């Protein structure tokens, strides 16, 4: 495959639109529709399940099945309590970071449309500087400009409404992509690009390829858990994000050392099948694709775990995209890494055969 950019103008247009769209856990449908519309020319059929995981399939009749997977959902909040004064208290939907919330703008999703609001916070002049109180769930509140609970409810806001941040995509220094929810809609973008490249390059596969965009990863890998039992794959290659540990206040002795711009990250973990991982590494080496290594203790914390331990065991591996500032509204990745993850998955799939079993004893 050529080393020129794997993106085209339509790719980047889709990426920006897809990242800017809100797809909170449990409410991924609008994003999934965008993703399926983009993927449709490059696959033979779609599978969807009742919770919203979407799968584009190439060669659906083939008995041997390979999954490439990302997840579609983003962290968010739920309306949990409305005070008589019209202020809103929240609980997490996924791993939302309480420390970044104060002074952030929010979108509250209602049946009447979006209601704008802000996370309020006491002014510095009014706080006890000898004993500053940190943001936490029981003191975070949203102000939507109302003066009573009735006024809030008339706008369509009620307990259970989901809340997202409106922060949108932009580029820093020509090669850094920044947005909320790059974790992990960038994964959905990358696997869609693999399907596009296979189609545009006229590549035929001897097995079924299941391009899988799972829901509800942020609350326990639930979408992957459901869809793997439906597909029953032979192999699963999962892509997610991992930390750039070279930024301040991260202990590399604990987190390892991975950095944006240095290539895809290949994980060593019990859930990662050794021979499949070595196939990916040899593919990277033979195609001059830079990569990094990461070790995960016990679990990977990604959909890899759900696939690996399903259906009596599925040969699974994890290719991660290094990212700065995870679970904030300014998640940052390097364009080169995005392209190289796409290249690595593409070449790995091309180098597979339908008889590859990746036996533990190979």
């Amino acid at each position: 495959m050529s080393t020129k950019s794997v993106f085209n103008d339509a790719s980047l247009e889709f990426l920006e639109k897809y990242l800017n769209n809100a797809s909170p856990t449990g409410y991924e449908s609008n994003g999934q529709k965008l993703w399926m519309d983009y993927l449709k020319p490059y696959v033979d059929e779609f599978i969807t399940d009742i919770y919203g995981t979407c799968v584009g399939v190439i060669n659906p009749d083939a008995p041997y099945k390979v999954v490439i997977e990302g997840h579609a959902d983003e962290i968010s909040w739920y309306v949990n309590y409305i005070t008589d004064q019209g202020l809103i208290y929240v609980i997490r939907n996924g791993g939302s970071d309480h420390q970044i919330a104060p002074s952030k703008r929010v979108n509250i999703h209602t049946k009447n449309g979006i209601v704008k609001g802000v996370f309020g916070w006491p002014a510095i002049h009014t706080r006890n500087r000898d004993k500053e109180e940190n943001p936490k769930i029981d003191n975070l509140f949203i102000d939507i400009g109302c003066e009573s609970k009735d006024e809030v409810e008339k706008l369509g806001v009620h307990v259970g409404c989901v809340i997202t941040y409106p922060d949108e995509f932009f580029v820093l220094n020509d090669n850094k992509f920044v947005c909320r929810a790059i974790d992990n809609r960038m994964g959905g973008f990358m696997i869609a690009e693999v399907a596009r490249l296979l189609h545009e390059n006229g590549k035929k596969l001897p097995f079924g390829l299941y391009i899988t965009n799972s829901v509800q990863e942020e609350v326990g890998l639930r979408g992957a858990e459901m869809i793997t039992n439906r597909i029953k794959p032979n192999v699963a290659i999962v892509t997610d994000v991992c930390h750039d540990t070279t930024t301040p206040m991260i202990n590399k002795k604990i987190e390892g050392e991975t950095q944006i711009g240095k290539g895809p990250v290949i994980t060593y973990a019990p859930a990662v099948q050794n021979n499949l991982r070595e196939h990916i590494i040899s593919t990277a080496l033979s195609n001059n694709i830079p990569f990094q290594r990461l070790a995960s203790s016990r679990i990977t914390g990604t959909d890899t775990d759900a696939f690996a331990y399903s259906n009596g065991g599925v040969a699974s591996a994890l290719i991660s995209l290094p990212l700065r500032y995870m679970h904030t509204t300014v998640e940052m990745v390097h364009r080169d890494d995005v392209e190289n993850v796409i290249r690595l998955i593409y070449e790995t799939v091309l180098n597979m055969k339908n008889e590859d079993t990746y036996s533990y004893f190979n």
Side-chain angles (χ1 to χ4, degrees):
M1 185 177 178
S2 170
T3 57
K4 71 178 183 179
S5 174
V6 300
F7 302 145
N8 58 32
D9 291 342
S11 300
L12 295 176
E13 182 181 345
F14 165 66
L15 174 62
E16 182 168 357
K17 186 176 181 181
Y18 186 49
L19 286 173
N20 287 345
N21 175 78
S23 291
T25 300
Y27 299 85
E28 300 94 344
S29 58
N30 286 337
Q32 295 290 62
K33 289 174 184 175
L34 290 173
W35 186 80
M36 287 193 293
D37 284 346
Y38 180 75
L39 191 64
K40 187 175 181 179
Y42 313 127
V43 298
D44 297 318
E45 68 178 35
F46 280 102
I47 298 170
T48 59
D49 72 14
I50 59 173
Y51 277 90
T53 290
C54 299
V55 186
V57 188
I58 299 171
N59 295 344
D61 296 327
Y64 193 84
K65 301 176 182 180
V66 175
V67 163
I68 58 174
E69 193 259 10
H71 73 82
D73 58 323
E74 66 181 289
I75 57 171
S76 56
W77 304 93
Y78 278 123
V79 174
N80 188 49
Y81 169 62
I82 304 169
T83 72
D84 292 338
Q85 292 74 37
L87 299 175
I88 296 167
Y89 285 80
V90 300
I91 57 172
R92 292 184 176 91
N93 183 20
S96 300
D97 188 343
H98 53 280
Q99 291 206 29
I100 72 161
S103 82
K104 291 296 298 180
R105 301 181 186 190
V106 298
N107 288 335
I108 304 177
H109 298 259
T110 78
K111 290 182 179 178
N112 301 329
I114 297 294
V115 174
K116 297 287 186 180
V118 297
F119 272 110
W121 195 247
I124 188 171
H125 319 70
T126 66
R127 302 200 299 267
N128 183 341
R129 297 179 197 178
D130 295 327
K131 192 178 180 181
E132 289 263 27
E133 189 164 4
N134 294 320
K136 50 191 177 184
I137 288 294
D138 64 7
N139 65 17
L140 288 177
F141 64 92
I142 291 172
D143 189 334
I144 62 172
C146 293
E147 298 176 8
S148 69
K149 182 176 182 179
D150 286 344
E151 199 175 347
V152 171
E153 291 176 341
K154 284 178 182 176
L155 292 176
V157 177
H158 55 74
V159 170
C161 283
V162 71
I163 304 156
T164 59
Y165 296 115
D167 302 67
E168 295 193 337
F169 173 84
F170 64 99
V171 178
L172 281 177
N173 196 28
D174 294 329
N175 58 15
K176 310 301 189 307
F177 295 157
V178 182
C179 196
R180 69 178 214 296
I182 287 177
D183 175 13
N184 179 38
R185 280 207 287 284
M186 191 63 80
F189 169 74
M190 293 188 296
I191 59 175
E193 288 297 275
V194 171
R196 178 181 66 82
L197 292 169
L198 289 169
H199 177 83
E200 291 181 354
N201 294 331
K203 301 297 184 181
K204 302 298 182 183
L205 301 175
F207 48 78
L209 185 65
Y210 290 70
I211 302 99
T212 303
N213 208 12
S214 298
V215 298
Q216 299 196 27
E217 188 272 351
E218 298 289 355
V219 291
L221 322 181
R222 298 307 186 188
E225 180 182 334
M226 290 182 278
I227 201 66
T228 186
N229 289 318
R230 180 166 176 180
I231 297 171
K232 294 182 169 50
N234 299 91
V235 173
I237 299 171
V238 174
T239 185
D240 206 323
V241 295
C242 65
H243 303 287
D244 178 334
T245 62
T246 66
T247 55
M249 297 184 289
I250 298 178
N251 186 344
K252 290 192 281 291
K253 294 177 182 178
I254 302 297
E255 302 293 341
E257 184 170 6
T258 50
Q259 184 175 354
I260 65 171
K262 295 291 184 70
V265 177
I266 299 173
T267 294
Y268 292 70
V272 173
Q273 211 279 343
N274 294 338
N275 293 315
L276 177 58
R277 183 195 61 243
E278 292 306 307
H279 172 72
I280 293 169
I281 290 172
S282 66
T283 298
L285 292 170
S286 62
N287 288 277
N288 296 314
I289 299 171
F291 68 92
Q292 306 173 78
R293 302 176 200 258
L294 179 68
S296 292
S297 177
R298 293 174 59 86
I299 61 172
T300 70
T302 72
D303 283 338
T304 312
D305 303 326
F307 279 95
Y309 302 127
S310 68
N311 300 294
V314 173
S316 301
L318 174 60
I319 302 173
S320 295
L321 177 69
L323 172 144
R324 289 180 172 177
Y325 320 124
M326 193 181 298
H327 285 204
T328 73
T329 57
V330 291
E331 294 182 335
M332 180 189 300
V333 295
H334 198 296
R335 177 184 175 128
D336 291 351
D337 293 336
V338 176
E339 297 204 42
N340 280 321
V341 170
I342 295 167
R343 288 191 178 102
L344 182 53
I345 297 173
Y346 175 88
E347 296 294 348
T348 296
V349 167
L350 284 183
N351 289 336
M352 296 177 73
K353 302 178 178 65
N354 60 3
E355 68 269 18
D356 286 343
T357 60
Y358 301 103
S359 166
Y360 181 81
F361 297 102
N362 282 354

